Amino acid sequence: MAGALDGQVAVVTGGSRGIGRACALELAKHGAAIVINYNANAEAANSCKAEIEAMGGKALTVQADVSSADDAKRLIDAAIAEFGKVDILVNNAGINRDRTIARMSADEWDTVIATDLSSAFYTTAAVVPGMRERNYGRIINMSSIIGQMGNVGQANYSAAKAGLIAFTKTAAKELARNQITVNVVCPGFVETEMVGALSDEVKTAVLANIPLGRFGTAEEIAACVRFLC
Ligand code: NAP
């Protein structure tokens, strides 16, 4: 297996399922060694690792709840311990806890902000010293079209995703002098378990506003991430 990312090491948070898994496989296909982070589902992470190894690639799975600063640091430390460095960081892990503002609990707000926004700060802060030393890095943050548009029932999610866009712009400005690029991807609705959980009624309403008449695929988003690397 030879590719444009040969010799590089990529950490993909939430790399076990959905968009993150597609990113992990795509970057591995192009030669990067992959650190597959997951939170709860070890089986999915192990199957992603097996798929990469079957292609002749290298992969490591690391359980870490990236909404915790300590876990996020432990994830990056584990990547460096195994592969010596991190060249690429894909901040993809995300959850939703949808409810209208009047019904949303403080815990639902805090959990989504911590998982979808603070996590990117924690992991980025942990990879930056090494990237600066090597004067090279690629950081890609997974926001959402909801961070640009807002959506009923997603005050927590839309605020986190909008925050991620602003975080990316600042990080890009701070880190450009070290040849580290920081980009954000804002997918529309993508066919994954996250969207699979929506009711048929909501899916039909969403599809009515998509000119192509279909959801995106995780592979389409992964191709964009690979381009940014
Ligand atoms: P998904 O299928 O639900 O997968 C989520 C992934 O994140 C899983 O690997 C999960 O691991 C991991 N994860 C969740 N909480 C975590 C935590 N605290 N620490 C570490 N890992 C955690 O989601 P997806 O649809 O692929 O979405 C991926 C990203 O794209 C998210 O940031 C999402 O907001 C964004 N996005 C999705 C869509 C869409 O339509 N699907 C659209 C725009 C943006 P475990 O299974 O181990 O928990």
Side-chain angles (χ1 to χ4, degrees):
M1 214 169 55
L5 302 177
D6 275 355
Q8 297 203 23
V9 178
V11 173
V12 183
T13 70
S16 55
R17 295 191 286 113
I19 294 171
R21 183 189 184 102
C23 291
L25 295 173
E26 178 71 9
L27 298 182
K29 247 182 239 163
H30 287 79
I34 310 293
V35 178
I36 305 158
N37 158 247
Y38 69 100
N39 183 28
N41 187 341
E43 200 182 328
N46 287 332
S47 96
C48 183
K49 179 176 190 274
E51 205 170 321
I52 290 171
E53 288 173 345
M55 299 190 296
K58 286 186 197 152
L60 170 76
T61 61
V62 180
Q63 188 287 326
D65 174 356
V66 290
S67 70
S68 137
D70 289 348
D71 269 27
K73 176 80 170 60
R74 181 172 55 74
L75 164 65
I76 302 304
D77 288 348
I80 294 169
E82 179 77 10
F83 295 120
K85 60 176 182 165
V86 176
D87 303 292
I88 298 168
L89 170 65
V90 183
N91 284 314
N92 163 82
I95 56 165
N96 53 357
R97 296 284 181 272
D98 298 353
R99 220 173 287 284
T100 55
I101 293 165
R103 291 167 182 265
M104 187 175 289
S105 68
D107 186 54
E108 286 165 335
W109 172 270
D110 290 342
T111 305
V112 171
I113 297 291
T115 308
D116 295 22
L117 175 59
S118 304
S119 60
F121 162 65
Y122 301 145
T123 51
T124 300
V127 296
V128 158
M131 287 183 174
R132 274 193 166 141
E133 260 174 45
R134 290 188 308 284
N135 215 35
Y136 182 83
R138 298 283 177 264
I139 299 173
I140 291 105
N141 297 324
M142 199 60 68
S143 178
S144 164
I145 197 172
I146 302 302
Q148 298 173 308
M149 295 169 41
N151 197 23
V152 172
Q154 294 199 300
N156 47 4
Y157 186 81
S158 61
K161 294 300 186 181
L164 204 47
I165 295 170
F167 173 72
T168 303
K169 290 179 179 174
T170 294
K173 287 179 177 172
E174 276 189 25
L175 300 171
R177 72 188 67 169
N178 302 109
Q179 306 304 315
I180 300 166
T181 64
V182 190
N183 284 283
V184 62
V185 178
C186 295
F189 286 76
V190 178
E191 202 95 55
T192 67
E193 285 173 42
M194 188 181 269
V195 161
L198 299 175
S199 71
D200 286 345
E201 195 188 346
V202 172
K203 280 190 207 166
T204 306
V206 169
L207 280 172
N209 287 310
I210 301 177
L212 276 179
R214 66 165 180 84
F215 293 125
T217 67
E219 290 70 26
E220 288 168 329
I221 309 305
C224 175
V225 169
R226 189 244 309 145
F227 165 75
L228 293 170
C229 291

